[in-house]
Amino acid sequence: MAGLELLSDQGYRVDGRRAGELRKIQARMGVFAQADGSAYIEQGNTKALAVVYGPHEIRGSRARALPDRALVNCQYSSATFSTGERKRRPHGDRKSCEMGLQLRQTFEAAILTQLHPRSQIDIYVQVLQADGGTYAACVNAATLAVLDAGIPMRDFVCACSAGFVDGTALADLSHVEEAAGGPQLALALLPASGQIALLEMDARLHEDHLERVLEAAAQAARDVHTLLDLVVRQHVREASILLGD
Amino acid sequence: MLKSKTFLKKTRAGGVMKIVREHYLRDDIGCGAAGCTACGGAHEGPALEPQPQDPASSLCPQPHYLLPDTNVLLHQIVSAWRPGTWDSVASSLRLPGSLETYVEQEQGENANDRNDRAIRVAAKWYNEHLKKMSADNQLQVIFITNDRKNKEKAVEEGIPAFTCEEYVKSLTANPELIDRLACLSEEGNEIESGKIIFSEHLPLSKLQQGIKSGTYLQGTFRASRENYLEATVWIHGDNEENKEIILQGLKHLNRAVHEDIVAVELLPKSQWVAPSSVVLHDEGQNEDDVEKEEEREQMLKTAVSEKMLKPTGRVVGIIKRNWRPYCGMLSKSDIKESRRHLFTPADKRIPRIRIETRQASTLEGRRIIVAIDGWPRNSRYPNGHFVKNLGDVGEKETETEVLLLEHDVPHQPFSQAVLSFLPKMPWSITEKDMKNREDLRHLCICSVDPPGCTDIDDALHCRELENGNLEVGVHIADVSHFIRPGNALDQESARRGTTVYLCEKRIDMVPELLSSNLCSLKCDVDRLAFSCIWEMNHSAEILKTKFTKSVINSKASLTYAEAQLRIDSANMRDDITTSLRGLNKLAKILKKKRIEKGALTLSSPEVRFHMDSETHDPIDLQTKELRETNSMVEEFMLLANISVAKKIHEEFSEHALLRKHPAPPPSNYEILVKAAKSRNLEIKTDTAKSLAESLDRAESPTFPYLNTLLRILATRCMMQAVYFCSGMDNDFHHYGLASPIYTHFTSPIRRYADVIVHRLLAVAIGADCTYPELTDKHKLADICKNLNYRHKMAQYAQRASVAFHTQLFFKSKGIVSEEAYILFVRKNAIVVLIPKYGLEGTVFFEEKDKPNPRLIYDDEIPSLKIEDTVFHVFDKVKVKIMLDSSNLQHQKIRMSLVEPQIPGISIPPDNISNMNLNGPEKKKMKFEK
């Protein structure tokens, strides 16, 4: 690892957080009127926008329609200005395809797709600023957008990343911590049941440590859930005031 | 509260990147003072003492905490050692993260100024905070800084501030503390006339640029032991040529100290020099004889043939200092009442250090520790400060302490934390221990070790199987059963790396309970072991190999001599003896096979001291004797190590801990080949096998000791064997043993490498589970690095201990003259070996106050002609040995030539006969006592 000290002797991380602490989360639902559902989330400096259309008829080839459930279509993109260096990212590059696929897996597990057979749900996510944990931010934004669209789900899907540095599990990695090259794990959780919608890790980590890192990520995901729940309640309250109840 | 930081950074490729970072300011960092209600229990980690017990200071009589600024903390950390002296407030580094004390960099303010301001703000905050906490006990925080401006500003802001020196001087209780302060004050540096001796060191950024572009080379600075004006720099990296650069002359050395990482610039070829063979020590008492130095430097540059020239360079800058506290002695200044003295380190590669002390008279004749603070451009010597007094010179305890410190051998008693992981006594084998273990208590196992050995880590057995084959077992103490990965005991053993055997003392790697009791495979007790069992046929071919954890009960602990007696005796027929005979027979075959493959048998003169049982003074010296049984045990240990190495590498190709011995580069053999040639012998060095064979052939009927001498020389040509991690290297060959793969498995009590190998093997056979660090090749590589370092240091410490005891021996023995053989020929000296004592020494032919004799040195043969006598390598001479105590620090064995006689140089023989008479007389007296 680079010379940077990711975790000080006193237990603080580079940006002043403790090992299990999340970055500041701010979110809003219903940011676009055009779409069926939309949401915007900020997790520290990672900012993402999610838009949901559907459920609607299958667009394009009818052959894709599933007889027993809805098709979930996810597209991920990141803005050219999202990272330190401006860089054009064409649609359909490998990274965004992979991310789209992961999102799709996550939401197929959470959305009650069997309620809408032969239809399609589109989830578009764009990252406006990337500072680590983009997958987690995308999932969280998309959850809010799906909720905003009124599509029935089993539960919230809350995601969070976790890493492992010097024998300590760190929750919600920032870009600096990700770039250091340690093992990193992404977890999407259905908090009420504790079921895992998606778990992804592509580095080597000894099995003895896995449990701890997983627990750190799960705890962080539950924390995210508390916050998202507040956002949803706040949004519903505002909406009902507007309706004049 | 959230702060965002945005800044621009230039990337390596040259692009500009904008970096946005968040910074969370915390409101939950406590002040650390015990019982502070305002902060509650928010504080973690070491707390401040509730009532600072500071020594009385005349500057601030009330109780106070100290807040040193970063520079003071960094430079004075040595003085901060002593507990109770510095109750420093929680390190200033933490405070900027706190909400109240966060300081933003202002426009035009540089990072250092910001830090200073942050520390001042912290001091102010602390003072106000403590006032709030308890108005009555008047706690105060005192700010210590050496920066004049910083101090002025602090006083302006109402913070009590002092410089380090002011504060320490005001401590009435500890006047000697002032000596320990690192002298960094600007006035201190202007000791000398201001004449600049050295050129400036370039800043790090320039060095890095230069290294990247290839104008400078980065390497480790290694000063020469024999010549203080010469050093070599080992260049890092795999560039094969220019591996080693020679530096010559004070100016080119440019204030680099041994072990520093430096940047060097190569000089043009016209200025290249050859390594001088002159032995030169820095002895000048007065400092400013720079002109004299230049004269001496000229002396080094004698005409040499073109091809002897080696790449030569000069130090342009220091990349990293590797200073440590040095042991040594004070050379008191000639000027009375002077407070500045020179300190001479025990290690000859370290320059002398100027220190300031008022206790010179008490420190005279003592071993002391001194740390270097800096080396200004205008000073001949570096500046330092006194750290610790070790004791009187020549005392056995002091000298042992010095050699342990100098070789960085961790020798403190084991801490409570470490001891807490030892098994509780009385210890016995439980059901749980028996899981995954084979019961081998019925086997007739015995151990063979040197006499007096208490840490027995290997035992053997051999029996005939029903099918006529032989079963041979090597049983090694199961240390990894007791040392569990990751705990304090494990960490401490990993740090120590090896047990260090000194002449009269053993520095254990693991606590004694384990090393001499629970792990030691003593006879007639049940012990846990790790067994390696082979089935062999009678021509020692391995048919089957099995590894298992086991329980054994050794039937006998024998010494080499006892085992030999049993094998040789005609009428002993018991199980142990038959077992030993079987082992011995197989060992002979194994050895023959190994030698056929090209394993080397080398030789080095090893000595043992016979100690006086009461005073522990050496009374007699003896070279080690080798018996058949030594090689029997060795043979099976080698076999076990090789079998285990194969197994763990098979199982863990990426992270097996192995040991390799690289083949030496051909140039290493030059001395050996030349020396043999002078005796009309040919030594082939192209492969290990041909070397072994040509060494076997190199016999001279008139000179039986020649072969041993050649083997000793060959040993000197070898490279060091090292531990490495299999995933980080692809050359596994062990040159000396002619084995494609090798590791250490057989001595886990005294080597940590074996513990790791045990763990790997246990995992491989499913007897134990793995843990994260074991499968991390980078962690393993770090362990190897430490182990290699510790082993090297332990070896040096052992040699130093032998040297010291040799001195003690000759001190009591008086002056003797002995036969010796020339090992090397130098420009102004010969290095001789005295077989009787296994002692090596240098005979100088140049003395300061005598006219120099006519010396002609021929590098090709190599030979040295003095007046009319020519000395070749391996020539037999007679030398007089005596203890030279003229230099208290380096008491040394001085040797002078007796035969052949050279008028004016050798010592007349009648002189000796007197001395010889004295010798036995003294001895007699001793017997009478």
Side-chain angles (χ1 to χ4, degrees), chain B residues 404-424:
Chain B
L404 290 175
L405 281 172
E406 269 304 295
H407 296 98
D408 196 13
V409 176
H411 59 283
Q412 297 78 14
F414 289 96
S415 69
Q416 269 311 315
V418 171
L419 296 176
S420 70
F421 287 97
L422 291 177
K424 301 278 167 299

CSV table of all heavy atoms in Angstrom, one decimal, chain B residues 404-424:
chain,number,residue,atom,x,y,z
B,404,LEU,N,25.6,-6.7,22.4
B,404,LEU,CA,24.2,-7.0,22.0
B,404,LEU,C,23.6,-5.7,21.4
B,404,LEU,O,22.8,-5.8,20.4
B,404,LEU,CB,23.4,-7.4,23.3
B,404,LEU,CG,23.8,-8.8,23.8
B,404,LEU,CD1,23.1,-9.1,25.1
B,404,LEU,CD2,23.5,-9.9,22.7
B,405,LEU,N,23.8,-4.6,22.0
B,405,LEU,CA,23.3,-3.3,21.5
B,405,LEU,C,23.8,-3.0,20.1
B,405,LEU,O,23.0,-2.7,19.2
B,405,LEU,CB,23.6,-2.2,22.5
B,405,LEU,CG,22.8,-2.0,23.7
B,405,LEU,CD1,23.3,-1.0,24.6
B,405,LEU,CD2,21.3,-1.7,23.3
B,406,GLU,N,25.1,-3.2,20.0
B,406,GLU,CA,25.7,-2.9,18.7
B,406,GLU,C,25.2,-3.8,17.6
B,406,GLU,O,25.2,-3.3,16.4
B,406,GLU,CB,27.2,-3.0,18.8
B,406,GLU,CG,28.0,-1.8,19.2
B,406,GLU,CD,27.7,-0.6,18.3
B,406,GLU,OE1,28.0,-0.6,17.1
B,406,GLU,OE2,27.1,0.4,18.8
B,407,HIS,N,24.8,-5.0,17.9
B,407,HIS,CA,24.3,-5.8,16.9
B,407,HIS,C,22.8,-5.9,16.9
B,407,HIS,O,22.2,-6.8,16.3
B,407,HIS,CB,24.9,-7.2,17.0
B,407,HIS,CG,26.4,-7.2,16.8
B,407,HIS,ND1,27.3,-7.1,17.8
B,407,HIS,CD2,27.2,-7.1,15.7
B,407,HIS,CE1,28.5,-7.1,17.4
B,407,HIS,NE2,28.5,-7.1,16.0
B,408,ASP,N,22.2,-5.0,17.6
B,408,ASP,CA,20.8,-4.9,17.6
B,408,ASP,C,20.1,-6.2,17.9
B,408,ASP,O,19.1,-6.6,17.2
B,408,ASP,CB,20.3,-4.4,16.1
B,408,ASP,CG,18.9,-3.9,16.1
B,408,ASP,OD1,18.4,-3.7,17.2
B,408,ASP,OD2,18.4,-3.7,15.0
B,409,VAL,N,20.6,-6.9,18.9
B,409,VAL,CA,20.0,-8.1,19.4
B,409,VAL,C,19.0,-7.8,20.5
B,409,VAL,O,19.4,-7.2,21.5
B,409,VAL,CB,21.1,-9.1,19.9
B,409,VAL,CG1,20.4,-10.3,20.5
B,409,VAL,CG2,22.1,-9.4,18.8
B,410,PRO,N,17.7,-8.1,20.3
B,410,PRO,CA,16.7,-7.8,21.4
B,410,PRO,C,17.0,-8.7,22.5
B,410,PRO,O,17.0,-9.9,22.4
B,410,PRO,CB,15.4,-8.1,20.7
B,410,PRO,CG,15.6,-8.3,19.3
B,410,PRO,CD,17.1,-8.7,19.1
B,411,HIS,N,17.4,-8.2,23.7
B,411,HIS,CA,17.8,-9.1,24.8
B,411,HIS,C,17.1,-8.7,26.1
B,411,HIS,O,17.5,-9.2,27.2
B,411,HIS,CB,19.3,-9.0,24.9
B,411,HIS,CG,19.8,-7.6,25.2
B,411,HIS,ND1,19.9,-6.7,24.2
B,411,HIS,CD2,20.2,-7.0,26.3
B,411,HIS,CE1,20.3,-5.6,24.7
B,411,HIS,NE2,20.5,-5.7,26.0
B,412,GLN,N,16.1,-7.9,26.1
B,412,GLN,CA,15.4,-7.6,27.3
B,412,GLN,C,14.6,-8.8,27.8
B,412,GLN,O,14.3,-9.7,26.9
B,412,GLN,CB,14.3,-6.5,27.1
B,412,GLN,CG,14.9,-5.1,26.7
B,412,GLN,CD,15.2,-5.1,25.2
B,412,GLN,OE1,14.8,-6.0,24.4
B,412,GLN,NE2,16.0,-4.1,24.8
B,413,PRO,N,14.4,-8.9,29.1
B,413,PRO,CA,13.6,-10.1,29.5
B,413,PRO,C,12.2,-10.0,28.9
B,413,PRO,O,11.7,-8.9,28.5
B,413,PRO,CB,13.5,-9.9,31.0
B,413,PRO,CG,14.1,-8.5,31.3
B,413,PRO,CD,14.9,-8.1,30.2
B,414,PHE,N,11.6,-11.2,28.8
B,414,PHE,CA,10.3,-11.2,28.1
B,414,PHE,C,9.2,-10.5,29.0
B,414,PHE,O,9.2,-10.6,30.2
B,414,PHE,CB,9.8,-12.7,28.0
B,414,PHE,CG,10.6,-13.4,26.9
B,414,PHE,CD1,11.7,-14.2,27.3
B,414,PHE,CD2,10.3,-13.3,25.6
B,414,PHE,CE1,12.5,-14.8,26.3
B,414,PHE,CE2,11.0,-13.9,24.6
B,414,PHE,CZ,12.1,-14.7,25.0
B,415,SER,N,8.4,-9.8,28.3
B,415,SER,CA,7.4,-8.9,29.0
B,415,SER,C,6.3,-9.8,29.6
B,415,SER,O,6.1,-11.0,29.2
B,415,SER,CB,6.8,-7.9,28.1
B,415,SER,OG,6.0,-8.5,27.1
B,416,GLN,N,5.5,-9.2,30.5
B,416,GLN,CA,4.4,-10.0,31.1
B,416,GLN,C,3.4,-10.4,30.0
B,416,GLN,O,2.9,-11.5,30.1
B,416,GLN,CB,3.6,-9.1,32.1
B,416,GLN,CG,4.2,-9.2,33.5
B,416,GLN,CD,4.3,-10.6,34.0
B,416,GLN,OE1,3.4,-11.4,33.8
B,416,GLN,NE2,5.5,-10.9,34.6
B,417,ALA,N,3.2,-9.5,29.1
B,417,ALA,CA,2.2,-9.9,28.0
B,417,ALA,C,2.7,-11.1,27.3
B,417,ALA,O,1.8,-12.0,26.9
B,417,ALA,CB,2.1,-8.7,27.0
B,418,VAL,N,4.0,-11.2,27.0
B,418,VAL,CA,4.5,-12.4,26.3
B,418,VAL,C,4.3,-13.6,27.2
B,418,VAL,O,3.9,-14.7,26.8
B,418,VAL,CB,6.0,-12.2,26.0
B,418,VAL,CG1,6.6,-13.5,25.4
B,418,VAL,CG2,6.1,-11.1,24.9
B,419,LEU,N,4.7,-13.5,28.5
B,419,LEU,CA,4.7,-14.6,29.4
B,419,LEU,C,3.3,-15.1,29.6
B,419,LEU,O,3.1,-16.3,29.9
B,419,LEU,CB,5.4,-14.3,30.7
B,419,LEU,CG,6.8,-13.9,30.6
B,419,LEU,CD1,7.4,-13.5,31.9
B,419,LEU,CD2,7.6,-15.1,30.1
B,420,SER,N,2.3,-14.3,29.5
B,420,SER,CA,0.9,-14.7,29.7
B,420,SER,C,0.4,-15.7,28.8
B,420,SER,O,-0.6,-16.4,29.0
B,420,SER,CB,0.0,-13.4,29.7
B,420,SER,OG,-0.1,-13.0,28.4
B,421,PHE,N,1.1,-15.9,27.6
B,421,PHE,CA,0.7,-16.8,26.7
B,421,PHE,C,1.4,-18.2,26.8
B,421,PHE,O,1.2,-19.1,26.0
B,421,PHE,CB,0.9,-16.3,25.2
B,421,PHE,CG,-0.1,-15.3,24.9
B,421,PHE,CD1,0.3,-13.9,25.0
B,421,PHE,CD2,-1.3,-15.6,24.4
B,421,PHE,CE1,-0.6,-12.9,24.6
B,421,PHE,CE2,-2.2,-14.6,24.1
B,421,PHE,CZ,-1.9,-13.3,24.2
B,422,LEU,N,2.1,-18.3,27.9
B,422,LEU,CA,2.8,-19.6,28.1
B,422,LEU,C,1.7,-20.6,28.7
B,422,LEU,O,0.8,-20.1,29.4
B,422,LEU,CB,3.9,-19.4,29.1
B,422,LEU,CG,5.1,-18.7,28.6
B,422,LEU,CD1,6.2,-18.5,29.7
B,422,LEU,CD2,5.7,-19.4,27.4
B,423,PRO,N,1.9,-21.8,28.5
B,423,PRO,CA,1.0,-22.8,29.1
B,423,PRO,C,1.1,-22.8,30.6
B,423,PRO,O,2.2,-22.5,31.1
B,423,PRO,CB,1.4,-24.1,28.5
B,423,PRO,CG,2.7,-23.9,27.9
B,423,PRO,CD,2.9,-22.5,27.6
B,424,LYS,N,0.1,-23.1,31.3
B,424,LYS,CA,0.1,-23.1,32.8
B,424,LYS,C,0.8,-24.4,33.3
B,424,LYS,O,0.6,-25.4,32.7
B,424,LYS,CB,-1.3,-23.0,33.3
B,424,LYS,CG,-2.1,-21.8,32.9
B,424,LYS,CD,-1.8,-20.6,33.8
B,424,LYS,CE,-2.3,-19.3,33.1
B,424,LYS,NZ,-1.8,-19.0,31.8
